[in-house]
Amino acid sequence: MAESQKIHHFDVNDEVLESLVGYNLKRAYMIFQSDFRATLGETGITTRAFSVLSLIAQVTDITQSEISRRLGIERSGLVAIVDDLQEKGYTVRVPVPGDRRIQALSLTKEGKKAYNEAKQAIAIHEQNLLSDFNKKEVKQLLSLLKRLRKPEDSVT
Amino acid sequence: MAESQKIHHFDVNDEVLESLVGYNLKRAYMIFQSDFRATLGETGITTRAFSVLSLIAQVTDITQSEISRRLGIERSGLVAIVDDLQEKGYTVRVPVPGDRRIQALSLTKEGKKAYNEAKQAIAIHEQNLLSDFNKKEVKQLLSLLKRLRKPEDSVT
DNA sequence: TATTGTTATACTCTATAACTATA
DNA sequence: TATAGTTATAGAGTATAACAATA
């Protein structure tokens, strides 16, 4: 039994699954996701929390609804993320004069620090996972992945 | 407020996130995942169930542990999937003479039919999502995604 | 009427540890 | 000791519907 396992190589796998973009996207995504957790797990920053943190860092005074649209996360799901970031002291909700429904999100000093540290850790994590890729290949991969998104974005 | 939303285009988004392979993998994966659900949702076949079904179809008498290794799914998580497939009448667990720990999985007639139908539906779903890609580009994308997996596979 | 933020709920997927029976 | 299947549990992430306040 143990013998037969060692005989099986990567290329012996199910050809149907291996030919599906969806399946290969998932496998690749899982590797990045688990390595991301191993990298930022101790900080308590999840993938979603980082993406929200990053968006607030780039677009000051952004609202939750706007984040929801840009990241493709439901508004309802955002509440817990922002609550958590606020508990950690990384972000604050500031009332906006003129529209009392919304609150502008911005980073605290600690939030900026945490974001920059996370950003650096992620850069290293991506470098590790992409060590076999040259710059051109990474660019190509990013380009192809973005094109997969385009149809959906244009619908919005 | 509504004005400012319409002004924002794809390329105005967070450059930090957009430059990350992990983030772009996730966004692309989510599109495939949700379209997959819309396609196979009524049948009750999830992405994971299909991958298990497919593996059993290719490798007759495969065990749960072997599926676990090949698909990168935990053994514990497999139990519920196989239980569900069995409830639907798609698969059966057959005792293996010589090793009473394991049970070989195989498809029933209904399982084969369900698998083939699902396979066709998925082919259309992939064609739709990849309508802007030519054959060479799909091949390139698959190749890049598989290379992202390779380091992990070789460790095993 | 539409939008913002929110609550509640359920479901999928994942991760971990531990157990049993077998080898 | 190691492996196969299993149970239990917890945590992310997602999806949906509904609500109050505000526009």
Side-chain angles (χ1 to χ4, degrees):
Chain A
M1 296 302 137
E3 288 301 308
S4 65
Q5 287 163 23
K6 286 172 190 162
I7 298 170
H8 295 132
H9 297 309
F10 178 76
D11 53 283
V12 197
N13 270 336
D14 185 342
E15 294 223 352
V16 175
L17 285 180
E18 291 299 342
S19 71
L20 293 176
V21 171
Y23 175 74
N24 281 282
L25 270 176
K26 178 175 191 168
R27 293 301 298 264
Y29 166 61
M30 289 309 300
I31 289 171
F32 274 74
Q33 173 76 357
S34 81
D35 190 80
F36 186 100
R37 275 191 195 145
T39 305
L40 288 194
E42 322 101 27
T43 69
I45 297 177
T46 64
T47 46
R48 302 172 97 201
F50 176 77
S51 62
V52 170
L53 214 48
S54 181
L55 208 45
I56 299 176
Q58 315 296 314
V59 187
T60 335
D61 292 341
I62 194 170
T63 65
Q64 288 184 199
S65 290
E66 181 66 14
I67 293 175
S68 165
R69 278 182 224 106
R70 297 215 195 183
L71 296 184
I73 297 175
E74 288 294 324
R75 276 190 341 254
S76 58
L78 254 175
V79 179
I81 301 173
V82 175
D83 282 352
D84 189 59
L85 287 174
Q86 194 158 315
E87 264 182 40
K88 287 190 168 71
Y90 294 165
T91 62
V92 284
R93 289 178 169 99
V94 181
V96 174
D99 192 337
R100 279 187 295 175
R101 289 175 305 180
I102 64 182
Q103 286 175 297
L105 298 173
S106 60
L107 294 189
T108 63
K109 195 176 174 182
E110 295 78 31
K112 281 175 194 165
K113 193 183 162 206
Y115 170 64
N116 283 321
E117 286 173 357
K119 203 166 66 171
Q120 279 200 299
I122 290 169
I124 294 172
H125 131 90
E126 288 242 336
Q127 273 171 25
N128 287 339
L129 294 180
L130 295 167
S131 58
D132 286 344
F133 290 66
N134 61 40
K135 281 191 181 178
K136 191 183 167 189
E137 289 168 331
V138 173
K139 202 176 163 185
Q140 210 164 42
L141 176 58
L142 285 173
S143 164
L144 289 167
L145 291 175
K146 283 183 203 307
R147 278 178 58 201
L148 287 176
R149 273 164 62 188
K150 274 200 174 165
E152 201 193 47
D153 284 336
S154 63
V155 172
T156 316
Chain B
M1 294 302 138
E3 289 303 307
S4 64
Q5 287 162 23
K6 285 170 190 164
I7 299 170
H8 295 132
H9 297 311
F10 179 75
D11 53 281
V12 196
N13 269 336
D14 186 342
E15 294 225 352
V16 175
L17 286 178
E18 291 298 342
S19 72
L20 292 175
V21 171
Y23 174 74
N24 281 281
L25 271 176
K26 177 172 191 173
R27 294 302 297 264
Y29 167 61
M30 289 308 300
I31 288 171
F32 273 73
Q33 173 77 355
S34 81
D35 190 79
F36 186 100
R37 276 188 195 148
T39 304
L40 288 193
E42 322 101 27
T43 70
I45 298 177
T46 63
T47 47
R48 302 173 96 200
F50 175 77
S51 63
V52 170
L53 213 48
S54 181
L55 209 43
I56 300 175
Q58 315 295 314
V59 188
T60 335
D61 292 341
I62 193 170
T63 64
Q64 289 184 196
S65 290
E66 182 65 15
I67 293 176
S68 164
R69 278 182 224 105
R70 297 215 196 183
L71 295 184
I73 296 176
E74 288 294 324
R75 269 178 313 148
S76 58
L78 255 175
V79 180
I81 300 174
V82 176
D83 282 353
D84 188 60
L85 287 174
Q86 194 157 313
E87 264 182 40
K88 288 191 167 70
Y90 294 164
T91 63
V92 284
R93 290 177 167 100
V94 181
V96 174
D99 192 338
R100 279 187 295 175
R101 290 175 303 179
I102 63 181
Q103 286 175 298
L105 299 173
S106 60
L107 294 190
T108 62
K109 195 176 174 184
E110 294 78 32
K112 281 175 193 164
K113 194 184 160 205
Y115 170 63
N116 284 321
E117 287 173 356
K119 204 166 64 173
Q120 278 201 299
I122 290 170
I124 296 172
H125 130 90
E126 289 241 335
Q127 273 170 26
N128 286 340
L129 294 180
L130 295 167
S131 58
D132 285 345
F133 289 67
N134 61 38
K135 281 191 180 178
K136 192 183 167 189
E137 288 169 332
V138 173
K139 202 176 163 185
Q140 210 166 43
L141 176 57
L142 285 173
S143 165
L144 289 167
L145 291 176
K146 283 182 203 305
R147 278 177 59 200
L148 287 177
R149 273 164 62 187
K150 275 203 170 160
E152 200 192 47
D153 283 336
S154 64
V155 172
T156 314

